[in-house]
Amino acid sequence: MNPPLDSDLLRTFLAVATTGNVTRAAEKIGRTQSAVSIQIKRLEEVLGESVFDRGSRGVTLTPQGQTLLVNANRIVGLLDETMASIRAKPLGGPVRIGLPEEYGYTVLPRALAAFASQHPQVQVTVKCDYSAKQMAALEADELDLAVIFNWEPPTIGEVLFVDPTVWVTSEVHCVHEITPVPIAIYQRSDWCQKFAIGSLDRNKINYRVAYSCDTGGGLKIAAVSGLAIAPLARSNIPPGCRELTETEGFPVIDSSNVVLRRNPRMTSPAIEGMAKVIRDAFQPMGTAVL
């Protein structure tokens, strides 16, 4: 009979996977480096597979480790949600939050659903929109919390994640090799003009606007279908697409901070509880490498 997979081993695995370094992982979880190494060795013995390739600069995930990463995040997240639901005191009152479309389908849905299930007396209202509109809603006292992209200093608020914007192309089509290269953009966006198109101008890339829309989902459609290359957050590249690299002539567009902003005029236990849920939802993502 195979030994059971201990959740403590999975937590140590996630710490090493997100930091890429045993020493930093040990500091993160408050253990010695040798204890972390022993736990990773024990995990690999239980699995019968290596989950990390060791190198002079740290560790990288093996294919088996990549598979484990997805399931480990889900298992540990579920355990944390279960413990939180048992320990949490019921909260009540309204919470109005603003989210970018990029994470409304990926990072946050399960966390928001768990919060709503744990605290049925909280009236959660979600506004999904551009960062500029979220900031305006905060100023107008229409939101309590907002997750926004911040592209330029100074960064005001709590940084949740660093998620650069990159040019994305289809893995099947070679649309990025066409001259002028067809691009997809947000049709009403100062950011697109300054950063996305600005990156093309700075690198003397001949382009034409082939697709315009108001949503990140529209940009994904353009990239997946091979109609155009599109500026997308690195964490949000859809299946069937890939990032265009600097060696191909397409450097990173920006170094976006994903930031949690608060309405200073509104505070309550429910709002603080929601802020923690949002923060915890981004934690497994670590910090993207530029």
Side-chain angles (χ1 to χ4, degrees):
M1 183 176 178
N2 293 328
L5 187 56
D6 191 325
S7 64
D8 195 40
L9 299 181
L10 292 180
R11 293 182 188 277
T12 301
F13 164 76
L14 288 175
V16 178
T18 55
T19 60
N21 183 281
V22 172
T23 301
R24 288 197 296 269
E27 294 171 353
K28 182 176 182 180
I29 63 177
R31 296 194 175 185
T32 65
Q33 182 176 343
S34 60
V36 170
S37 296
I38 290 170
Q39 284 202 303
I40 294 301
K41 182 179 180 182
R42 174 61 179 158
L43 175 64
E44 292 179 327
E45 289 173 349
V46 171
L47 295 173
E49 299 283 353
S50 295
V51 294
F52 291 113
D53 285 325
R54 280 77 171 174
S56 58
R57 296 187 177 182
V59 297
T60 57
L61 289 166
T62 64
Q64 293 83 1
Q66 292 281 1
T67 300
L68 179 62
L69 180 64
V70 175
N71 291 318
N73 273 319
R74 184 167 64 246
I75 293 167
V76 170
L78 184 58
L79 289 171
D80 289 343
E81 289 169 16
T82 302
M83 182 61 73
S85 67
I86 294 172
R87 291 181 173 177
K89 296 179 180 179
L91 300 175
V95 178
R96 305 164 299 170
I97 61 175
L99 303 177
E101 182 188 10
E102 285 81 354
Y103 306 115
Y105 295 103
T106 55
V107 178
L108 293 171
R110 189 181 67 189
L112 296 181
F115 182 86
S117 176
Q118 294 164 19
H119 307 289
Q121 299 305 311
V122 177
Q123 297 88 48
V124 179
T125 303
V126 179
K127 175 182 175 67
C128 190
D129 216 327
Y130 300 129
S131 292
K133 291 186 177 181
Q134 305 285 24
M135 288 302 303
L138 275 176
E139 292 294 329
D141 206 19
E142 297 170 357
L143 292 175
D144 304 308
L145 301 166
V147 178
I148 66 164
F149 288 104
N150 183 270
W151 305 287
E152 296 181 291
T155 297
I156 301 173
E158 179 182 353
V159 177
L160 301 170
F161 182 48
V162 180
D163 200 2
T165 309
V166 297
W167 285 106
V168 173
T169 190
S170 165
E171 291 179 343
V172 177
H173 307 89
C174 296
V175 65
H176 60 284
E177 297 178 356
I178 299 173
T179 302
V181 61
I183 66 170
I185 61 169
Y186 292 115
Q187 58 188 4
R188 288 186 290 270
S189 170
D190 292 337
W191 173 86
C192 260
Q193 187 64 44
K194 182 174 182 178
F195 289 92
I197 292 178
S199 74
L200 299 175
D201 290 338
R202 285 191 300 274
N203 289 278
K204 297 180 172 54
I205 297 172
N206 191 12
Y207 66 90
R208 68 177 184 87
V209 176
Y211 191 102
S212 61
C213 60
D214 281 326
T215 67
L219 295 184
K220 289 182 181 181
I221 290 171
V224 171
S225 64
L227 289 172
I229 64 171
L232 293 169
R234 181 177 280 162
S235 72
N236 209 34
I237 297 174
C241 291
R242 67 174 181 86
E243 174 184 342
L244 286 167
T245 65
E246 189 163 0
T247 59
E248 295 173 290
F250 295 88
V252 171
I253 295 172
D254 68 28
S255 300
S256 300
N257 285 333
V258 182
V259 178
L260 177 62
R261 293 289 301 270
R262 296 167 178 261
N263 181 342
R265 293 159 291 188
M266 299 298 296
T267 183
S268 72
I271 292 171
E272 292 305 312
M274 178 61 78
K276 183 179 185 306
V277 164
I278 292 172
R279 184 185 305 113
D280 291 347
F282 278 92
Q283 187 175 8
M285 299 177 71
T287 301
V289 178
L290 301 182

